[in-house]
Every structure is written in C-alpha cells, then in structure tokens.
Amino acid sequence: MGDEKGVELRAVRDPIHGFVELPKDLFETLIDTELFQRLRDVKQLGLAYLVYPSATHTRFEHSLGAAAVMKNMITHVIENTKELIHLTKHLKPAYEEVMKELENLLPEAVVAALLHDIGHMLLSHVSEKVTKSDLTYLKEAGAIPLFTDHELRGIAIVEELIQSGSEVRYKGRRVDLETVKEVLQAAYFSGARMNLLSNLNPRNNAKLIIAQLISSEIDVDRGDFVLRDAYSAGVSLGSYDLNRLYKVIVLVPDKENKDLLKVGILDKGISVIESMLLGRVFMYKDVYLHTISMLYSAMAVRILNLILKREDWRDLLYEIEVIRMAYHKGASPSNDLGKEQGAKLTEIMNLVTDSTFYQMLRKIPSEIEKRVRNGRIKLDDDLVTLYLLAKSILSRRRWTYLLASDELSQKLVNKYYSEDDKEGREAFLTLLSQYYHSAVILYFSRYKGYTGGVLVAKRSKPTEVCLLEECPASVVAKELMGKNFTKLILVFPEARGELEFKRWYLKKGDVSDLLKGLSEAYEKGFGKELEVEKYLDGASGTAARLAVKLESLPSA
C-alpha cells in the first residue's frame, strides 16, 4: 500500500478508527520492536476485566490509536486554520509559519503519541498507586524514592534510545528523538513548557502545540481512550463524535499571550467537546472507579507494597526481583538494582508486564507452601497476606470492603491532597500508621471533572477567544469546572462479628477457605495449627477501629 507520494504505508484495522495507516519504516524501526510490542502485554484498564470481561484491550492498541488521532488532529487543525486565514490577513505570516513547523514536526508528533505510554508497566495505572493512594505503605515503610510515574519512566526510556543511538524513521526521514523527548517533557512538566515559552518562535510554538495534544483537555490520549475503553468494556457511556471534533479544531491565539498559538475549537463545536467531557466523567463513575474493580486494584497494590517492603523476599521468586528492579531503576542512577546487574531500563521494562505479575501470583501459593512445609521460611502476617491476596485474585474471590459515603470520601481524600491543612494531613497519615495491618488496605481515587483551558473562537472573529467555561453556550464545562470526584474503600479479608458504621457501607466477602493449603503446610512443617481465626479477627478488628477513627477525623 502506498500514498500519493509513493511512500509505502501499512494499515492496521482498528475498531475505533477504522484503518490506522502509518509508514512502513515506522513499523520497522519502532512499532515492530520488542520495546513497543511489550505493550500488548499491559492491559489498558488493569484489573477492570474482572468486572467487565471484554475489557482486555492493551496499551498497544491505545498507543496506535493515539498516534492515529495525533496524525488526524494535526492534519485537520492545519486545514481548518487555513480556511480561516482569509478572515485574519494581518496574522497570516504568524499562522503560516507555525503551521509549516507543525507540518514539519508531524513525524515527531506521531512518535511522541506512540511513546506517550511507553513507560507503563504491569497493570497500567494500578502499579503507579504503590506510593500514592496506599497511604499505609508510606507510613509503614517510609516514603522511599520509587520510579512510579509512567511519564517519568517513559521520558527516561526515550533518553536511553537517544544515548544508544537508536534510529526511528518516518517516510524515509530520521525522527529527532531529542524533539520527541522535549515535547513529552513539555506535555507533563510546567518547567519544560516555560523553557519553550521563554524562547518563543514558530518551531517552539509548534512543539508546545504538540505537547498540548499529548496532554490537555483536548488531547490524543482522551481522543482515543474514552472511545476505546467504552467499546471494550461494552458500555455506551463514553460515546462522542471524534470526526466532528476534527472538523472544529483550529489554531487560536492564547487568551493571555497573543503571540502564542494554541489548539482551540470553533464555537459550533462546544457540544462535541462537552459530550467528550461528560463521557469521561461517566466512564470514571461507572467503569474506572467501579467498586469491585477498585477492590481488586487495592489487593494488587498491596501485593506490590509488600514486595517492595520486604527485602528478605527478594529471593522468593525471580518475578519479585524483576518487579523490584523496575521500581528502583529510576530512584537513583548510581545505586539501583538494574545498574548493578548491567541492565538498561528498556531491558527491564520488557520483563515487567501483566504476564510477569500473573506468573508471580501463580507461583506464590505453591512456593510459600513448599517453604513452610520444609520449615524454611518464617510465617508472619505479611506472608499470610501475600498468600491470601494471590489466591484471591487468581480465583476472583472478593474480600470484604467498606465503601465510604461521598461526604466522608471527599473529606479524607481532601486531607491527603491538602496543601493548606498540613497538620490534618499528618494526623490522617499517623492514624493509618497506628492501625496498620498488612491485610487492611485503604484505597482511593480522585478525578477532576474539568480543569479548564479550552479556548473557543467564533468563525467570524477567530482571533477573539474565550474560555469554554465562560462561553454563554457552555453548560457542561461550567458545571464540571473545578469539581473533584472521589471514591474511597477500606478492604480486608472477612468481617468478623457485628460491624456497624455511620458513614461506611459494608459488603462482606468470604475467603477463609483459601488458606486451607497454607494451614496444611504449616501443620506439616511446624507441627501445629496455623492461627487462621486470630489472623482474620486481627484484620477485621483493625479495619473496624480504623473506620471509626476515620469517621471522627475533623474536616479541614
């Protein structure tokens, strides 16, 4: 297959975008490499497939989709802007110079879209929660520096590609990976954006536009995942008209800095943007933050917490050491496991996928049973919890959970994120430390309805812009602006005795039978019964006391 210039293309059939067409040499030098292909083994929605069985799509197809959206957005924003230039003849040179640079940087933009999630490892965002929402780990083991953000890890991977002299080609031209890195940094970090703004010229303006398309309220990430996640989960909540969005995006001057061009929308496209905003909110409420999906995510995060905390488990399984390497690789370049073993981050990442996690889960029960049976390992609460978590996820057995009321959830999550109430935040963390039990897991998530920044212009006056939330025709953005949505659960194996709470909803689980194999091994290895009831009572009692204490915490 070739285009009008004779460049050979490859087409990938996709349920969201039809055919994704990209140059053959881009496949040969990037897409068809082990580094990129590993994304086939990283599920987009982590453990959500345990609730939505068809949600098994991966970061691979999402990244291809993001590249397709990037290609289409840049093509359409240039075409749409050219149609408007005759209305702003005095600005024609500035617009045309930026559009020319944007067109020249299309290969770098597409590669940046392909690589925007390259830093994701096992279970996608779930693995990033290790030191973020599992607050008990922060207080129990200390806030050790860990490489948790996929954005940072992704930029480090691009840097490794640069240092190794890796060559990525697009239609016969070598892609400038330094520019790709620069764009990704500007997409995620304000300091990098300020560096480009301080030396604003058409090329740097084009880089800032691409960075905006990587991460903003109108970006290629959301352009793909809202539709793809809804399709794969089998829900219609995230539906919006992407083709209509292509028709209404244009270059507009920034509201504060008229010399800076950004991607905005024509006022006739307000409805499509707001339908995307609503679709994303609905997806968060019903899919991303589904309570059972959060429950299994919490269990997976605690497994990762324990692996990182317990140095003495490093030799328990090969997979445990590999996962530890991936987290520690970015902590300190001069003192990390990967460097000691001569491994590059790209090499380590190839080993840390969903398959690694599930292989570890399958091995954990039998390995612990074997060592306990032979009397070769000390059995403590942490090890029992690791065993029970692995068995529970593999058999999809649900632990008990307490779901916080909306009011309580907002209060507690706000305490964690508060910059003004540092004393309240510390009291919150201290409380979690005081009531720590390896089988009691506090897990939460927060998302923002709309953060602002979308610029809207009239076709008749394209240089006069207003913020979406300030436009008279806006309904959804005004309502969502500045609103935070939260959900918080407290997870533990089984509820023992009568538990009653004012602002928690209790849903009981039953998993004690999953400890039968461990009990038998313990009796054989140590000649006495495993105190299963004591362990379960301890977890339940700790969870109950913690729940009551959390209820009584004062509001900020």
Side-chain angles (χ1 to χ4, degrees):
M1 176 180 285
D3 66 7
E4 68 279 1
K5 296 182 180 179
V7 174
E8 190 169 358
L9 302 176
R10 282 187 184 175
V12 178
R13 187 182 292 275
D14 183 78
I16 308 302
H17 307 292
F19 283 100
V20 175
E21 292 188 345
L22 295 169
K24 179 184 176 183
D25 54 0
L26 182 60
F27 277 88
E28 294 171 341
T29 57
L30 178 60
I31 297 172
D32 292 343
T33 63
E34 186 177 1
L35 175 66
F36 194 81
Q37 290 291 318
R38 65 170 284 277
L39 294 178
R40 290 182 185 271
D41 196 15
V42 180
K43 289 186 180 66
Q44 173 84 358
L45 298 185
L47 292 138
Y49 76 95
L50 292 173
V51 179
Y52 297 96
S54 60
T56 55
H57 58 303
T58 69
R59 292 282 159 184
F60 177 83
E61 53 260 44
H62 165 59
S63 296
L64 284 180
V69 177
M70 177 66 83
K71 183 180 173 185
N72 287 332
M73 279 193 167
I74 289 181
T75 300
H76 281 87
V77 81
I78 292 173
E79 291 177 354
N80 298 342
T81 304
K82 284 180 177 179
E83 291 180 8
L84 295 178
I85 280 182
H86 71 280
L87 298 173
T88 55
K89 293 180 180 179
H90 60 293
L91 286 178
K92 186 175 179 180
Y95 275 64
E96 287 192 336
E97 288 172 8
V98 172
M99 286 191 292
K100 183 178 179 180
E101 291 294 344
L102 198 54
E103 198 167 10
N104 290 338
L105 290 175
L106 178 63
E108 283 72 24
V110 171
V111 171
L114 284 170
L115 296 179
H116 83 285
D117 274 349
I118 200 67
H120 268 297
M121 56 183 197
L122 55 90
L123 307 180
S124 288
H125 288 294
V126 172
S127 60
E128 294 181 301
K129 297 279 190 178
V130 167
T131 59
K132 291 183 179 178
S133 38
D134 193 12
L135 307 180
T136 52
Y137 177 73
L138 288 174
K139 298 300 289 185
E140 176 69 9
I144 61 174
L146 294 174
F147 209 8
T148 55
D149 293 327
H150 76 277
E151 295 94 345
L152 285 170
R153 196 184 293 110
I155 291 168
I157 287 172
V158 175
E159 177 61 29
E160 271 197 10
L161 293 176
I162 293 169
Q163 295 302 320
S164 66
S166 297
E167 184 173 298
V168 177
R169 304 194 73 81
Y170 189 103
K171 291 186 178 181
R173 174 168 83 76
R174 183 166 183 168
V175 174
D176 184 359
L177 292 178
E178 285 285 0
T179 297
V180 172
K181 185 180 77 169
E182 195 175 8
V183 164
L184 291 174
Q185 288 173 327
Y188 301 125
F189 306 112
S190 59
R193 289 193 293 275
M194 292 304 297
N195 287 339
L196 292 174
L197 281 169
S198 65
N199 183 28
L200 190 61
N201 55 44
R203 189 169 183 83
N204 283 347
N205 198 153
K207 291 177 183 178
L208 287 166
I209 289 170
I210 297 169
Q212 181 190 356
L213 292 177
I214 290 292
S215 180
S216 70
E217 291 288 357
I218 312 178
D219 65 27
V220 301
D221 191 22
R222 300 175 198 199
D224 180 81
F225 80 67
V226 173
L227 295 171
R228 188 175 302 280
D229 294 351
Y231 172 86
S232 297
V235 301
S236 57
L237 300 167
S239 179
Y240 76 96
D241 193 344
L242 178 59
N243 289 322
R244 176 62 176 164
L245 178 60
Y246 290 149
K247 296 295 185 182
V248 298
I249 53 174
V250 291
L251 292 183
V252 298
D254 182 52
K255 191 173 174 63
E256 304 298 330
N257 182 358
K258 298 299 182 182
D259 294 328
L260 174 65
L261 295 181
K262 290 185 173 182
V263 175
I265 62 167
L266 295 173
D267 56 351
K268 64 181 181 179
I270 287 178
S271 60
V272 70
I273 285 293
E274 295 203 323
S275 67
M276 182 171 73
L277 290 175
L278 267 181
R280 181 168 169 263
V281 168
F282 290 148
M283 286 295 291
Y284 265 101
K285 291 178 75 69
D286 284 16
V287 178
Y288 305 143
L289 300 190
H290 189 288
T291 307
I292 303 304
S293 177
M294 285 184 67
L295 180 144
Y296 286 111
S297 296
M299 294 162 67
V301 166
R302 179 47 57 90
I303 289 175
L304 297 173
N305 293 150
L306 292 173
I307 287 172
L308 291 171
K309 188 181 77 167
R310 293 293 296 264
E311 289 282 344
D312 55 322
W313 290 357
R314 288 177 59 171
D315 66 341
L316 188 62
L317 290 171
Y318 166 76
E319 289 81 5
I320 287 178
E321 180 62 358
V322 167
I323 291 171
R324 286 177 58 86
M325 278 198 297
Y327 276 108
H328 285 283
K329 177 66 184 178
S332 173
S334 62
N335 182 26
D336 62 82
L337 299 170
K339 183 160 184 164
E340 288 171 10
Q341 299 188 14
K344 294 181 180 179
L345 178 58
T346 49
E347 295 170 345
I348 295 171
M349 291 296 288
N350 289 337
L351 301 174
V352 188
T353 62
D354 287 11
S355 291
T356 306
F357 181 74
Y358 288 107
Q359 287 168 10
M360 178 183 70
L361 290 194
R362 293 185 184 97
K363 292 178 181 179
I364 281 173
S366 59
E367 185 64 27
I368 292 177
E369 286 180 14
K370 181 177 69 176
R371 296 194 182 202
V372 168
R373 191 179 297 113
N374 296 334
R376 292 166 45 207
I377 192 169
K378 180 182 177 182
L379 194 61
D380 55 21
D381 281 356
D382 282 358
L383 203 60
V384 174
T385 297
L386 181 68
Y387 179 96
L388 185 56
L389 285 167
K391 295 280 283 187
S392 299
I393 293 176
L394 288 173
S395 55
R396 199 192 177 277
R397 292 286 294 279
R398 182 171 51 77
W399 283 26
T400 295
Y401 68 84
L402 290 169
L403 173 63
S405 67
D406 289 343
E407 179 187 1
L408 180 60
S409 175
Q410 284 280 358
K411 181 181 78 170
L412 297 177
V413 175
N414 287 342
K415 277 189 178 296
Y416 173 65
Y417 284 109
S418 176
E419 296 181 359
D420 301 324
D421 184 19
K422 293 183 179 180
E423 188 175 316
R425 185 178 189 273
E426 183 59 30
F428 180 30
L429 295 177
T430 299
L431 186 62
L432 295 174
S433 178
Q434 290 174 346
Y435 290 90
Y436 176 80
H437 189 291
S438 62
V440 178
I441 314 163
L442 184 80
Y443 192 83
F444 71 84
S445 190
R446 180 181 78 158
Y447 64 97
K448 298 179 179 180
Y450 174 61
T451 58
V454 174
L455 296 172
V456 181
K458 290 184 178 181
R459 186 177 179 84
S460 58
K461 298 179 180 179
T463 59
E464 297 179 14
V465 298
C466 67
L467 292 170
L468 175 60
E469 62 271 19
E470 296 174 356
C471 293
S474 171
V475 178
V476 175
K478 289 178 181 177
E479 287 296 317
L480 294 179
M481 182 66 188
K483 285 191 176 179
N484 293 323
F485 300 88
T486 64
K487 196 167 190 177
L488 183 144
I489 58 176
L490 192 59
V491 180
F492 53 103
E494 289 189 3
R496 316 289 279 188
E498 294 298 322
L499 301 180
E500 292 185 7
F501 307 97
K502 295 178 181 178
R503 290 186 285 176
W504 297 90
Y505 166 75
L506 173 65
K507 185 69 174 180
K508 295 182 178 181
D510 182 7
V511 294
S512 59
D513 61 299
L514 296 179
L515 290 171
K516 182 179 179 182
L518 183 60
S519 296
E520 292 174 350
Y522 186 78
E523 187 171 356
K524 185 171 183 179
F526 294 91
K528 54 183 178 180
E529 291 186 4
L530 179 65
E531 296 179 326
V532 172
E533 294 300 315
K534 182 180 179 181
Y535 167 80
L536 295 173
D537 286 344
S540 179
T542 300
R545 290 188 293 273
L546 177 58
V548 172
K549 290 291 185 180
L550 291 173
E551 282 184 338
S552 64
L553 276 177
S555 299

